[in-house]
Amino acid sequence: MRAAGLRGPADGSVALHVGVLGPLDVQVDGRPVRVATGRLQALLAVLAMSAGRAVPPDRLASAVWGEEQPDHARRSVQLYVTRLRRALGAGAIRTRPDGYLLAADQVDALRFQRLLDDASAAADDRAERAGLAAALELWRGTPFDGVRAAWLERVEGPRLLDRYLAAVERRIDLDLAAGAEGEVVGQLRELTARHPLRERFWEQLMLALYRSGRQADALETYRRLYRVLADELGVAPGAAGRELHRRILAGDPALRGPATPRGVVPRQLPPAILGFSGRAGSLAGLDAVAGRADEAAATAVISGGGGVGKTTLAVQWAHRAAERFPDGQLYVDLCGFGPSRRALRPVEAVRGFLEALGTPPAAVPTDLPAQVGLYRSLISGRRVIVLLDNAADAEQVRPLLPGAPGSVAVVTSRHQLPGLVAEGARPVTLDVLSAGESRELLAGRLGADRVGAAPRATGRIVEICAGLPLALAMVAARATTSPWYGLDGLDALAAELDEFHTSLDALASADAATDLRAVFSWSYGRLAPAARRLFRLLSLHPGRDVGALAAASLAGLPGSAVRPPLAELCRAHLLTERAPGRYAFHDLLRAYAAELLDDHDTEADRRAARRRLLDHLLGTAAAAALTIEPLRDPIAVVPAAPGVTPEPFGKREDALAWLHAELPALRSAVELARDDGLDAHAWQLTWSLADFLNWHGRWHDREATLRTALAAAGRLGDHAEQARAHRCLGHTYTRLERYEDAHAHLRKALTLYLGLDDPDGQVQTHQSLSIVLERQGEHHAALRHAERALELYAPGGSKAGLGRLLNSAGWCHAQVGDLRQALAHCERAATLARESGDWVAQAATWDSLGYIRHRLGQHGPALAAYRLALDLRRAIGHRCGEAGTLARIGDTQDAIGDRAAARASWRDALAILDEMGEPGADAVRARLQAG
């Protein structure tokens, strides 16, 4: 134990320090003192645990000797006290009428407990973590190690150990909340080994592994816990462990910890390429650019033909330089040269960077200048590599460049981008590899021994591939996956390339684009007809990857019939199965597939395939929307063309997972439908996404798709869908706090519904007007619209619809202080929601009832109602609603004096609100900062 921090007594007596959190450690005036015998050690340890307070002799005797006390216990205590005084100094132990008092200046166990108490009352997580760290630093081993005393062994030792383990658990919880999962995995492995029956450590280890991207290791950890508990106790893991296992097994995205923008360290680089060779001069040039990063924002432009290895070089260098730029790496494919997808707009690329840096989707500005300003503010003062791949021109790149010293940008393009070079960027021009570098690449892929053993065959392969890195890489891949490779080696490979030489002759030219077509044709030509056709059609899919049934719909095949050609494409390295059932192209392969599609398939065939794809996405999205919200307004979905296979959904979680995975493709599909003149698909896709985008706070995505839907409905002359789009835009602008826009769209919606004589539409619009006015603090005006919605509601309407309106009106009554009427409305709403099976309304109504009960001072019933609302909102995946309920639970816990529980609820709410960029986050943050 360190002697630092001891203070001398004011009366001039000795300064005594006693350490019991490990082997006994005694220091007097900073000098170590040895307390020799076991009984003296036990007596000192017992007195130390009550330092500053008198301990009666009888209690000392019982603590030191237990049930085997000597005949004259009090006399024995006196003798041992006398001996201990001689060892410590006359003033160390004082006699009081009620016993003996140890005048110790510091006892580590008592300080440990004070630090824990202070940490639990800390104002924020950072202060609490610092307090816990200070407390845990005091531990040197097992408490009272080597000291023999029954009371210490049976009572005090276990009590201190329990507090220590609880403190470790809490400190690890805070580490996980701060995104430090990678730092605690090793410690948790040690803790689970030392304390195998303490389930909380196992649960924390599972969570840390899952957040580190190690789902399989997390699941294996649960299996180990199961075996340990079964072997030792004959029981299964507790409810918390079982639930965590279920969520990890399902890949629950909600388990991923929250992050703050300044704390996020993005790691977006693609994997480095095995067998990289050559390019020493280019690597040195990139190093030189990075060396200037501290002086000014540094940029390099890597240019060259298609397939020459621009991306490979950039990624390889970025991995090597990553340690010099510890604040992360950003990567984006700008799609500057892709025939089937438009080039990525700067506004889309910057948005991706902002989200990677931790900016919640709803907090991303809508206009490019504001986005660029926020992006450059976030990386200012940080050291980041920004890799901008496949750029079309300088205008696409400029908004993505760092604006301050410290970071470096690397741009790859088939163009030289002279504008950027004129502005100070360093050009790095790539040509094909030399013969020696080509051999090195093949040796890295196939093995140096094998390449060295076949010099003639290797030379012929290098000659045919003409130094083109992509051609060499694909030839090597073909070799290692061919059944004859292990028998005949490179001789057989060279012979096969010679056989195809007429179709690969472009590999000998300097035109990289032609070279790539030849290499791809070599793989494509060996496919079965079904795989060839599927390869071509997949170029039409607008997403980064494609599901198996979407591929089936593109080809007009049953789901079972598409899997063999998909497997064949993966074997030929023309597709990659990135996740089970999801497949992706390299962009160059997508471009080649699109060229083949133009050459081999008629415009009618291409249009029919696009229509089948849109039908698949629309039919599946509509089914997913009804699965997550069964009582939403139904729509008559455009009938699907023959050959379309929508995704089946067995449960709500499957639908939510599909929507998460397909969201980029669905957003693009709205625009694809518009461009193909399929306006009904455009607005129906938008409507199918509306609830999902709403529940997950993706307000900017919702706004963009709704604007497309509004234009599509206008072209169709469909006033009902125009009204619906205006109403949904009104709600969206309400959540974005653009209240003037919200009112404008809701007024247009109401006008259209009046013209259509559509009372249901009027009801929903009045309800939306009530919401926007309530958000603006106009509670009486909000109540008038809520009551107007009730007045207009048809007497024969559904119970679910009436329940939702009653809950809305009840909430408004509560805001104006009419709690009796609010309670009556919401209790009736809860009954109707339960009878109609409306989970969404049940959750909202229980939340309202919790709020009303809280206002009435009925805190127990309020918490019970809130808990029901919280469980329902979590079950249906309503993240926005979950955050609101958590915040109000915290308010009620605070009102009954349970400040610790309130802070925990507020922290959970704030994590969700910050993740989504909700305006309510500031109010919750203020509550946490208040005390």
Side-chain angles (χ1 to χ4, degrees):
M1 180 61 66
R2 298 187 304 266
L6 294 175
R7 60 188 187 278
D11 60 3
S13 60
V14 296
L16 174 62
H17 166 89
V18 181
V20 297
L21 298 178
L24 187 66
D25 176 38
V26 184
Q27 296 179 22
V28 175
D29 288 339
R31 298 186 304 276
V33 172
R34 183 171 179 269
V35 178
T37 68
R39 298 298 185 192
L40 283 183
Q41 291 178 351
L43 177 65
L44 175 59
V46 171
L47 286 169
M49 292 307 297
S50 298
R53 293 182 287 113
V55 184
D58 292 341
R59 183 179 164 199
L60 284 172
S62 176
V64 172
W65 282 279
E67 296 178 358
E68 300 177 357
Q69 295 186 31
D71 292 338
H72 303 285
R74 294 177 66 88
R75 177 60 181 162
S76 296
V77 168
Q78 291 173 354
L79 290 173
Y80 276 103
V81 168
T82 299
R83 293 173 61 187
L84 196 54
R85 280 174 173 152
R86 285 199 293 268
L88 304 179
I93 302 177
R94 300 169 187 174
T95 303
R96 295 285 186 266
D98 50 348
Y100 298 99
L101 178 149
L102 183 70
D105 299 90
Q106 189 179 102
V107 176
D108 58 359
L110 302 183
R111 175 169 169 75
F112 168 73
Q113 295 178 97
R114 285 195 301 272
L115 287 171
L116 290 186
D117 292 341
D118 292 342
S120 66
D124 54 43
D125 287 354
R126 179 177 296 180
E128 182 181 3
R129 189 179 184 283
L132 289 170
L136 296 173
E137 272 190 354
L138 297 174
W139 278 68
R140 297 171 290 115
T142 303
F144 314 108
D145 190 8
V147 179
R148 297 289 176 263
W151 179 69
L152 298 176
E153 293 173 0
R154 298 175 186 173
V155 179
E156 279 299 273
R159 183 183 67 81
L160 285 170
L161 182 59
D162 278 344
R163 290 210 71 181
Y164 168 79
L165 293 175
V168 172
E169 289 174 352
R170 176 58 182 159
R171 197 263 301 155
I172 291 174
D173 280 338
L174 294 172
D175 288 343
L176 290 170
E181 51 271 2
E183 301 174 16
V184 299
V185 168
Q187 182 183 4
L188 284 166
R189 289 198 186 281
E190 181 181 348
L191 287 166
T192 53
R194 284 167 42 201
H195 308 282
L197 302 182
R198 201 166 181 100
E199 292 186 53
R200 181 61 185 143
F201 286 142
W202 291 92
E203 294 161 10
Q204 290 174 320
L205 177 56
M206 290 164 62
L207 182 60
L209 289 167
Y210 179 75
R211 289 186 177 178
S212 300
R214 299 164 64 183
Q215 183 183 29
D217 290 342
L219 295 172
E220 175 57 26
T221 298
Y222 179 80
R223 288 190 286 271
R224 287 172 48 215
L225 168 62
Y226 197 103
R227 290 194 297 268
V228 167
L229 294 179
D231 293 343
E232 296 292 330
L233 304 176
V235 300
R242 295 197 304 271
E243 173 63 12
L244 181 60
H245 174 253
R246 182 192 68 77
R247 295 175 69 187
I248 291 174
L249 193 64
D252 188 347
L255 286 180
R256 300 190 181 98
T260 57
R262 293 298 297 184
V264 171
V265 179
R267 306 288 188 193
Q268 294 188 317
L269 291 180
I273 301 300
L274 180 68
F276 179 85
S277 64
R279 309 300 193 197
S282 300
L283 289 170
L286 292 171
D287 285 337
V289 174
R292 303 199 308 267
D294 288 335
E295 304 169 7
T299 303
V301 175
I302 303 174
S303 63
V308 78
K310 302 180 296 296
T311 299
T312 299
L313 170 66
V315 170
Q316 194 76 18
W317 175 84
H319 278 286
R320 294 184 181 186
E323 290 185 1
R324 295 156 60 188
F325 296 86
D327 295 317
Q329 306 94 40
L330 295 168
Y331 171 88
V332 64
D333 181 355
L334 296 171
C335 306
F337 298 90
S340 61
R341 286 184 294 164
R342 59 175 173 76
L344 203 67
R345 293 177 297 154
V347 70
E348 296 169 302
V350 178
R351 179 186 182 89
F353 282 177
L354 289 173
E355 292 187 6
L357 290 164
T359 306
V364 176
T366 56
D367 63 298
L368 180 61
Q371 285 186 349
V372 172
L374 178 58
Y375 159 62
R376 289 176 175 164
S377 296
L378 288 177
I379 64 172
S380 177
R382 303 173 73 176
R383 297 183 62 81
V384 178
I385 295 173
V386 182
L387 206 169
L388 308 173
D389 196 17
N390 196 13
D393 52 41
E395 293 304 315
Q396 190 187 24
V397 168
R398 286 190 179 95
L400 307 175
L401 299 176
S407 296
V408 62
V410 178
V411 184
T412 74
S413 178
R414 293 190 187 184
H415 292 164
Q416 293 180 338
L417 305 185
L420 291 184
V421 174
E423 294 164 9
R426 173 166 181 156
V428 178
T429 303
L430 294 190
D431 201 346
V432 295
L433 296 174
S434 67
E437 290 170 334
S438 298
R439 288 175 179 272
E440 289 177 14
L441 189 153
L442 289 174
R445 297 294 183 95
L446 303 176
D449 292 343
R450 191 175 295 274
V451 168
R456 291 186 62 184
T458 300
R460 182 60 183 143
I461 293 170
V462 168
E463 180 182 353
I464 292 171
C465 292
L468 193 68
L470 184 57
L472 289 161
M474 291 190 68
V475 167
R478 172 66 178 168
T480 56
T481 57
S482 296
W484 43 257
Y485 176 63
L487 300 174
D488 301 315
L490 296 181
D491 290 325
L493 175 60
E496 181 168 288
L497 289 175
D498 273 329
E499 177 185 347
F500 283 89
H501 191 216
T502 55
S503 61
L504 291 173
D505 54 5
L507 282 173
S509 82
D511 185 346
T514 304
D515 294 341
L516 289 170
R517 293 190 191 95
V519 173
F520 293 152
S521 71
W522 179 74
S523 296
Y524 175 79
R526 288 186 170 271
L527 297 174
R532 292 185 192 181
R533 177 172 177 264
L534 181 61
F535 178 70
R536 299 193 304 268
L537 290 174
L538 286 173
S539 66
L540 294 172
H541 192 276
R544 292 286 182 177
D545 50 30
V546 57
L549 290 183
S553 296
L554 264 169
L557 296 172
S560 58
V562 80
R563 298 194 181 277
L566 282 171
E568 185 177 356
L569 288 170
C570 288
R571 288 194 299 270
H573 299 281
L574 294 172
L575 275 187
T576 300
E577 190 171 9
R578 287 185 175 173
R582 297 200 68 82
Y583 302 85
F585 280 118
H586 185 284
D587 278 347
L588 295 173
L589 286 167
R590 180 189 290 272
Y592 178 65
E595 290 180 358
L596 291 174
L597 187 71
D598 287 340
D599 291 341
H600 294 278
D601 300 85
T602 67
E603 172 57 30
D605 289 339
R606 296 195 296 270
R607 187 174 183 84
R610 286 197 300 271
R611 170 63 189 267
R612 288 194 299 271
L613 173 64
L614 289 171
D615 285 349
H616 167 85
L617 293 173
L618 173 57
T620 306
L626 285 171
T627 302
I628 67 173
E629 168 55 304
L631 296 176
R632 76 195 315 265
D633 288 349
I635 59 172
V637 177
V638 175
V644 173
T645 306
E647 303 277 348
F649 297 122
K651 52 187 178 180
R652 183 186 303 269
E653 291 79 3
D654 295 336
L656 286 169
W658 184 85
L659 287 165
H660 275 291
E662 292 288 357
L663 186 58
L666 288 165
R667 290 198 310 259
S668 297
V670 174
E671 298 179 6
L672 181 62
R674 175 201 62 198
D675 295 343
D676 264 12
L678 299 174
D679 286 326
H681 284 74
W683 75 257
Q684 290 187 358
L685 278 165
T686 298
W687 182 235
S688 299
L689 288 172
D691 285 337
F692 178 78
L693 297 176
N694 179 6
W695 293 1
H696 290 80
R698 300 191 71 102
W699 306 116
H700 294 294
D701 288 336
R702 198 169 191 255
E703 177 200 11
T705 55
L706 281 168
R707 285 196 168 279
T708 301
L710 180 60
R715 287 189 294 271
L716 291 169
D718 191 332
H719 291 174
E721 293 311 323
Q722 285 179 273
R724 193 203 303 263
H726 279 302
R727 176 168 55 81
C728 291
L729 277 167
H731 175 71
T732 302
Y733 286 130
T734 298
R735 298 308 299 258
L736 289 170
E737 295 188 339
R738 291 170 55 178
Y739 298 126
E740 185 176 340
D741 290 332
H743 280 289
H745 281 282
L746 291 173
R747 284 194 298 270
K748 290 177 182 177
L750 193 57
T751 299
L752 285 167
Y753 282 130
L754 286 168
L756 291 166
D757 193 20
D758 181 350
D760 287 341
Q762 294 172 46
V763 165
Q764 293 184 64
T765 307
H766 279 293
Q767 191 175 16
S768 295
L769 283 164
S770 174
I771 293 170
V772 66
L773 287 164
E774 189 268 326
R775 286 292 185 105
Q776 291 179 282
E778 300 288 341
H779 299 304
H780 287 281
L783 177 58
R784 286 195 295 273
H785 279 284
E787 290 176 332
R788 180 57 178 157
L790 276 172
E791 291 170 5
L792 289 170
Y793 193 67
S798 70
K799 289 182 179 180
L802 179 58
R804 293 189 179 199
L805 294 176
L806 283 168
N807 177 59
S808 180
W811 178 265
C812 290
H813 277 291
Q815 302 307 309
V816 300
D818 188 355
L819 298 177
R820 183 182 300 277
Q821 187 62 55
L823 188 62
H825 274 342
C826 290
E827 285 181 335
R828 187 181 173 204
T831 300
L832 292 171
R834 184 177 63 254
E835 291 174 350
S836 60
D838 188 349
W839 283 21
V840 176
Q842 285 184 62
T845 305
W846 281 116
D847 183 81
S848 298
L849 285 168
Y851 176 76
I852 296 164
R853 296 291 186 188
H854 173 92
R855 291 279 302 274
L856 289 168
Q858 300 170 7
H859 296 127
L863 285 174
Y866 280 141
R867 294 294 182 193
L868 288 170
L870 186 63
D871 289 345
L872 285 167
R873 283 177 160 168
R874 284 174 171 168
I876 64 179
H878 196 322
R879 296 283 283 163
C880 286
E882 179 186 349
T885 300
L886 280 167
R888 286 185 279 278
I889 287 174
D891 294 343
T892 303
Q893 290 167 331
D894 186 49
I896 62 176
D898 193 348
R899 186 68 177 175
R903 290 179 61 80
S905 297
W906 289 332
R907 279 195 295 264
D908 290 344
L910 184 61
I912 298 172
L913 293 170
D914 277 342
E915 174 189 327
M916 296 187 300
E918 283 286 301
D922 290 338
V924 177
R925 187 174 290 105
R927 291 175 220 175
L928 279 167
Q929 293 171 347

